[in-house]
Amino acid sequence: MNMMAIKTKAQAVARDPQRDAAPMVEFRQVSKRFSAGRTSAEVVALDGIDLTVPRGSVTGIIGRSGAGKSTLIRLVNGLEKPSSGQVHVDGTDISAMDEKSLRSVRREIGMIFQHFNLLSSRTAFDNIALPLEIAGLDRRAIESRVTPLLELVGLSDKRDRYPSELSGGQKQRVGIARALATEPKLLLSDEATSALDPETTRSILALLHQINRELGLTVLLITHEMEVIKTIAHHVAVIDGGRIVEQGSTFDVFTAHEHPTTRALLSGLSGMHLPEFLTSRMSEEAAPGARAIIRVIFKGENATEPMLARLGSELGIEVNIMAGAVDEIAGRPFGLLVVSLLADAEKLREARAFLLEHGLASEVLGYVR
Amino acid sequence: MSADIIYLIIRATGQTLYMVAVAGLVGSLFGIPLGVFLATSEKGELFPAPRTNRVLGLIVNATRSTPFIILVVAIIPFTRLIAGTSIGTNAAIVPLTLATVPFIARLVETSIREVDSGLSEAARAMGASPMQIVFKVLLAEARPGIAAALTLTIVSLIGYSAMVGAVGGGGLGDLGIRYGYQRFMPDVMAVVVVVLIVLVQLVQSAGDRLARQFDKRNRPR
């Protein structure tokens, strides 16, 4: 793939340290209300959003459907206007702009969509050429821009194919090439992998990751899929009911998972969900002779240390692994293990203290006889 | 059949083609933009003008619900203003065009509304102006539908043109009524019907081919 042939504005400005520090996107107390009709009350889609997207990062916004994700991402390129608050893109307040000045801003922001939104009447080449035609480039300039983009997304042999002749993954690759055509500094991804199968999702995420790394392009994506955030996002914001409930580095947010919404989103992750055979027998009260069920959270380096084995050898506590796995979040190992310990209250306290001493948080889930 | 009758049939065919062609062309010239406007001028759309949209919609409905033969007679003063006369083939083109404009407009409106709104949004996100969205997205994507709409319009025009004999418009329909029916010449009637059938068939299959050519939506992988 020919990355060198594609320059972006992100690279051009990367050397200025002051601009480097400023975020690419900044939401300041942004709210959005929709009037649902003449008689009915207003619907609050977004409520007091404060959010920053660091320059050069991949930032993910995750939330259930109806949480306000789509509205949020549309505020960044002015497809929606905030009811109050400001949205700054690369230092400019775009919420104050009129439609006409927004057009030139939008040419510096690429966007990809869940349903690709390719023109059925245009070939792959002509779809990628569309934003360049809109910007008024001549045919020769368009040709020299589109050809390397087709190569970048691995579709050089499909240049004259129509969208209906392409698979879902190929369509999204055309979508990505089209979004990159005007050499944007920011790429918005609106559930770009939600209509794709897991394998295609992985290949599209790998492409986005590569684009972020090699072109230095800032990526802001919204999704309801934990998998997407886990794989490529450096930063994450969890949105629920129109509010950001947690934000920070992906690893920190997901390993601390303090907010119930974050927990709910994580429930698909191995080790978060308790197997049925356990939940059906579990009680909240400790009883004599009962085994304590605890969840041990492994973070970073600790995920590879044999802590549970040492629990047995050093404290003489019998440990039984019930469920869980070691996974990877934002490139760092992370594990959740549900284990049962044959231990009374005293021993249990000792065991948890031992784990904590070695950097492993744990929580007591219940007791099983 | 005498040579005179054959000459009449050829002349009537020519008149029908002439009326259909001019009315179709001028009708499209006004009807397509009107259709685009109707499809893009409601609240929150590209050219929001809901009041104008409603008024134009009313006029379109009124014109479409007036029986064509009544429209022909009702607008005679207007016809005289445009064509300089109220009888003859040229005069007949005026009501034919007037009936065609709203007909095309509604069909074009429908095909444009069928274009996925996600495409307009994508174009807006690229920084396209409303006009660019109309030409590069809406009209381009609606081409198969518009081709089908124009085909239907021409077929209907061939039918309508049979009625303008009432104002001396001539054409195949007029010939069929005056010779085939009033002079009781069944052979003339038969020829008129056959020519009309052939004309409609030709227009329909040409239109279908065009629509298929424009339609890239269901190509096999």
Side-chain angles (χ1 to χ4, degrees):
Chain A
M1 286 188 198
N2 188 0
M3 274 284 178
M4 296 315 290
I6 298 150
K7 287 172 290 192
T8 69
K9 288 183 179 122
Q11 274 179 328
V13 297
R15 268 176 225 108
D16 185 343
Q18 250 190 337
R19 285 182 67 121
D20 250 11
M24 178 58 81
V25 182
E26 197 178 357
F27 284 77
R28 293 184 193 162
Q29 278 300 307
V30 172
S31 295
K32 176 72 180 177
R33 293 175 292 273
F34 290 106
S35 53
R38 239 170 257 177
T39 48
S40 49
E42 282 188 327
V43 178
V44 179
L46 294 173
D47 188 9
I49 301 282
D50 278 311
L51 176 72
T52 54
V53 177
R55 194 173 293 272
S57 72
V58 176
T59 298
I61 295 165
I62 187 167
R64 287 176 278 232
S65 32
K69 305 184 297 274
S70 300
T71 310
L72 187 82
I73 203 165
R74 279 164 178 72
L75 288 166
V76 180
N77 57 4
L79 291 178
E80 297 277 2
K81 290 257 175 207
S83 307
S84 66
Q86 296 177 338
V87 181
H88 291 254
V89 177
D90 204 13
T92 321
D93 180 8
I94 70 141
S95 37
M97 282 186 178
D98 61 15
E99 188 71 19
K100 212 169 167 188
S101 13
L102 271 175
R103 273 177 225 151
S104 55
V105 172
R106 287 180 184 143
R107 284 172 199 174
E108 304 193 320
I109 304 173
M111 190 168 187
I112 54 177
F113 304 87
Q114 178 174 5
H115 298 296
F116 325 120
N117 293 350
L118 301 178
L119 267 63
S120 70
S121 56
R122 283 174 173 246
T123 61
F125 182 96
D126 288 331
N127 263 292
I128 301 171
L130 180 61
L132 301 171
E133 287 175 25
I134 286 169
L137 268 68
D138 63 44
R139 202 66 207 169
R140 276 234 331 257
I142 288 175
E143 173 82 35
S144 69
R145 196 79 74 79
V146 175
T147 307
L149 280 167
L150 274 165
E151 205 177 314
L152 170 72
V153 299
L155 290 178
S156 296
D157 56 331
K158 306 278 188 222
R159 63 177 281 154
D160 296 323
R161 296 284 169 182
Y162 289 92
S164 61
E165 300 170 295
L166 301 174
S167 69
Q170 290 168 336
K171 282 184 212 170
Q172 195 56 287
R173 283 168 183 275
V174 175
I176 291 170
R178 181 177 71 178
L180 296 178
T182 49
E183 305 182 340
K185 53 192 178 190
L186 172 65
L187 179 65
L188 304 177
S189 164
D190 178 8
E191 299 270 13
T193 56
S194 300
L196 303 173
D197 61 65
E199 204 187 323
T200 315
T201 296
R202 275 193 291 279
S203 79
I204 292 295
L205 291 179
L207 177 61
L208 289 177
H209 188 64
Q210 182 197 2
I211 287 164
N212 165 256
R213 211 178 46 228
E214 296 180 23
L215 302 179
L217 190 68
T218 308
V219 179
L220 174 61
L221 59 90
I222 61 169
T223 183
H224 63 268
E225 296 168 307
M226 192 40 227
E227 214 43 49
V228 171
I229 301 286
K230 213 180 77 182
T231 314
I232 62 165
H234 311 125
H235 298 268
V236 68
V238 180
I239 186 170
D240 187 41
R243 289 169 177 273
I244 304 274
V245 294
E246 271 189 283
Q247 64 174 309
S249 96
T250 303
F251 192 80
D252 292 347
V253 168
F254 281 143
T255 53
H257 54 82
E258 276 157 6
H259 196 275
T261 308
T262 318
R263 278 169 174 263
L265 288 166
L266 275 168
S267 66
L269 220 61
S270 39
M272 275 307 284
H273 194 74
L274 291 183
E276 174 70 25
F277 76 90
L278 260 183
T279 51
S280 61
R281 294 188 303 151
M282 220 161 66
S283 67
E284 292 190 3
E285 300 281 309
R291 300 180 70 95
I293 305 291
I294 67 169
R295 180 187 283 135
V296 185
I297 298 143
F298 297 78
K299 285 186 196 179
E301 316 66 54
N302 294 324
T304 48
E305 290 260 322
M307 279 306 152
L308 292 178
R310 286 176 60 187
L311 211 58
S313 63
E314 290 178 28
L315 294 177
I317 298 173
E318 190 196 317
V319 181
N320 192 10
I321 297 176
M322 314 299 283
V326 176
D327 210 326
E328 206 177 56
I329 290 183
R332 291 168 69 189
F334 171 66
L336 287 170
L337 280 187
V338 178
V339 300
S340 76
L341 306 175
L342 187 57
D344 55 23
E346 183 57 38
K347 276 273 190 194
L348 181 61
R349 213 171 3 253
E350 230 175 276
R352 292 186 64 197
F354 174 81
L355 291 171
L356 198 61
E357 210 176 292
H358 292 87
L360 299 187
S362 62
E363 56 183 318
V364 178
L365 302 171
Y367 300 88
V368 180
R369 281 195 68 86
Chain B
M1 213 182 287
S2 74
D4 285 347
I5 292 290
I6 291 172
Y7 168 74
L8 279 178
I9 291 170
I10 291 172
R11 201 183 65 163
T13 307
Q15 285 168 335
T16 293
L17 290 177
Y18 171 66
M19 287 188 290
V20 169
V22 176
L25 216 66
V26 180
S28 306
L29 219 61
F30 290 97
I32 294 177
L34 179 59
V36 171
F37 181 78
L38 286 174
T40 54
S41 55
E42 269 173 33
K43 204 178 145 202
E45 293 180 332
L46 282 179
F47 307 99
R51 209 162 293 168
T52 318
N53 180 298
R54 220 163 314 131
V55 171
L56 285 176
L58 266 173
I59 296 173
V60 162
N61 287 346
T63 318
R64 289 197 60 193
S65 49
T66 309
F68 181 65
I69 189 72
I70 293 176
L71 186 80
V72 171
V73 186
I75 62 156
I76 281 178
F78 178 70
T79 303
R80 197 172 288 139
L81 191 75
I82 300 286
T85 166
S86 60
I87 47 169
T89 309
N90 281 328
I93 288 172
V94 177
L96 278 173
T97 307
L98 206 72
T100 306
V101 172
F103 192 84
I104 292 184
R106 279 291 184 218
L107 292 173
V108 167
E109 181 191 0
T110 309
S111 354
I112 284 183
R113 287 206 181 277
E114 271 167 18
V115 175
D116 182 359
S117 63
L119 299 182
S120 302
E121 190 187 36
R124 267 185 79 203
M126 289 170 206
S129 68
M131 273 316 210
Q132 282 175 322
I133 293 175
V134 167
F135 284 102
K136 291 202 178 285
V137 177
L138 297 181
L139 286 174
E141 285 288 299
R143 263 187 326 198
I146 292 174
L150 292 183
T151 308
L152 189 61
T153 304
I154 294 175
V155 169
S156 306
L157 264 176
I158 293 174
Y160 279 180
S161 72
M163 282 183 248
V164 292
V167 288
L172 285 165
D174 185 41
L175 184 73
I177 292 289
R178 284 194 293 124
Y179 287 76
Y181 176 65
Q182 286 163 355
R183 294 197 188 177
F184 202 67
M185 297 170 78
D187 48 346
V188 175
M189 188 62 104
V191 172
V192 163
V193 170
V194 167
V195 172
L196 283 172
I197 289 173
V198 169
L199 272 182
V200 168
Q201 280 299 339
L202 286 176
V203 169
Q204 189 66 50
S205 48
D208 288 348
R209 196 169 320 132
L210 198 65
R212 253 199 318 277
Q213 216 164 46
F214 284 145
D215 195 350
K216 315 288 188 192
R217 283 171 296 192
N218 296 306
R219 292 169 72 104
R221 288 217 184 126

